[in-house]
Amino acid sequence: MKKWIQATAASLSIMGMLAAGAAVSAAPQKPTQVYIDGELQKDVLTVKQRTMVQLKAFNDPANLTYSYEQATKTIVIVNKTNKTTVRLKSGATTAEVNGKSVKLDAPVTIKDGRTYLPLRFISETLGGVLKYSTTDKSVIVRTPSGEERFNILMHGDLAKAREIAIHYPKTYAGKEIQASGEGYTFAYTFPKGEALRFEYQYKGLINYTEINQDGIAVVKWQNDSYGSNGEVGTRHEAFGESVYFTKHLMLDKNVYGTIDSQGKSTELGFTEYSSNKDLADVMIMPIDGEVRTDQQK
């Protein structure tokens, strides 16, 4: 997970420098709500009735590389997995894909120094997945690596699914409140056998998150247990039997265990990451005998 986070940061740094050339104005229409790898895109354009997203949002360093040819003012995208090379220029209504001209639904658009491309072209040409959510009529897009994570999240190994779940981008059903306390530990609690709903607690602030069938993680309830910032949303029913994973920042130590239906906790083990920094980003450990019960179709 740590390597993936570092690779993502490096790719974003490169992609932030890709935009160049004359800007193309976009009609001020209400944009479609778009999620890419679970993250709500705040900067979406509508050009010629087509949804446009920032190129940098389709971020998949494991499969895609981006570069910019200053001499020709051309953006070059390479999909290392399916051996596809895409070449684009600002304002162009066509793209070159493996040497062949492909018509775009809307021109390559530069706005505020950022490159925007038609959403469908990005997902289909670069090997992604695109679908329309029947839940809230939003558009769901996943990069190739994002699709792999989504499948594990929904159907895969319980410990791996939980690790992905806690790192997933979050949206908020109501306003987001901040913690008012201090603290040096944070904890995740999952119902026994589940990965798609959990509580996260840090500095006295409790967040309850549910992940829907489209892979969108929604924080549905927050409570500042110290009282300063109140409570938002509807409190969920008690988990009953559950498991917990706690990081002690001062001790460089992760502790995990179970909680019975009466609320009694039992520590099962711990990992110390002071001697192995790669373990610092691994919160979730397998629980012996626990079987996943919330796989999605």
Side-chain angles (χ1 to χ4, degrees), residues 14-25:
I14 294 172
M15 293 164 68
M17 299 184 290
L18 292 180
V24 179
S25 61

Side-chain angles (χ1 to χ4, degrees), residues 51-235:
T51 300
M52 310 280 285
V53 296
Q54 287 189 39
L55 179 57
K56 76 166 190 174
F58 201 83
N59 184 47
D60 188 351
N63 293 282
L64 306 172
T65 61
Y66 299 82
S67 60
Y68 184 72
E69 293 181 353
Q70 184 64 44
T72 61
K73 299 189 184 306
T74 301
I75 297 168
V76 181
I77 312 167
V78 177
N79 186 319
K80 297 175 285 186
T81 304
N82 65 14
K83 310 299 183 184
T84 299
T85 299
V86 180
R87 297 174 64 85
L88 302 155
K89 290 187 177 182
S90 173
T93 56
T94 61
E96 184 183 297
V97 181
N98 285 347
K100 296 182 179 180
S101 180
V102 176
K103 184 175 176 56
L104 299 174
D105 292 333
V108 179
T109 300
I110 306 297
K111 182 180 180 183
D112 298 329
R114 300 295 183 182
T115 303
Y116 290 79
L117 293 177
L119 180 60
R120 184 173 294 279
F121 174 82
I122 289 181
S123 60
E124 292 180 350
T125 307
L126 300 183
V129 172
L130 182 148
K131 62 170 288 189
Y132 292 92
S133 171
T134 57
T135 304
D136 59 5
K137 301 187 184 305
S138 59
V139 180
I140 309 298
V141 179
R142 289 188 287 273
T143 64
S145 292
E147 178 70 0
E148 292 177 13
R149 292 192 296 273
F150 173 78
N151 286 329
I152 295 172
L153 179 64
M154 292 294 156
H155 322 292
D157 174 81
L158 181 57
K160 291 179 180 178
R162 284 172 171 165
E163 189 71 44
I164 290 171
I166 65 176
H167 289 94
Y168 236 57
K170 307 295 189 297
T171 61
Y172 291 81
K175 71 174 184 178
E176 180 182 2
I177 61 176
Q178 303 297 321
S180 61
E182 297 181 356
Y184 299 98
T185 64
F186 61 87
Y188 293 92
T189 305
F190 291 84
K192 181 180 179 181
E194 298 187 29
L196 301 179
R197 58 191 184 114
F198 58 91
E199 282 189 358
Y200 167 67
Q201 184 168 352
Y202 182 53
K203 295 184 177 181
L205 179 65
I206 305 171
N207 294 274
Y208 169 67
T209 301
E210 290 184 4
I211 302 176
N212 66 23
Q213 63 184 4
D214 294 317
I216 308 303
V218 181
V219 178
K220 295 195 168 184
W221 172 66
Q222 296 176 277
N223 181 37
D224 183 1
S225 60
Y226 293 149
S228 299
N229 291 322
E231 184 175 6
V232 175
T234 303
R235 188 185 296 260

Side-chain angles (χ1 to χ4, degrees), residues 283-296:
M283 277 289 298
I284 307 300
M285 299 298 292
I287 305 297
D288 289 342
E290 190 181 18
V291 177
R292 186 167 185 183
T293 60
D294 66 345
Q295 290 96 333
Q296 298 291 303

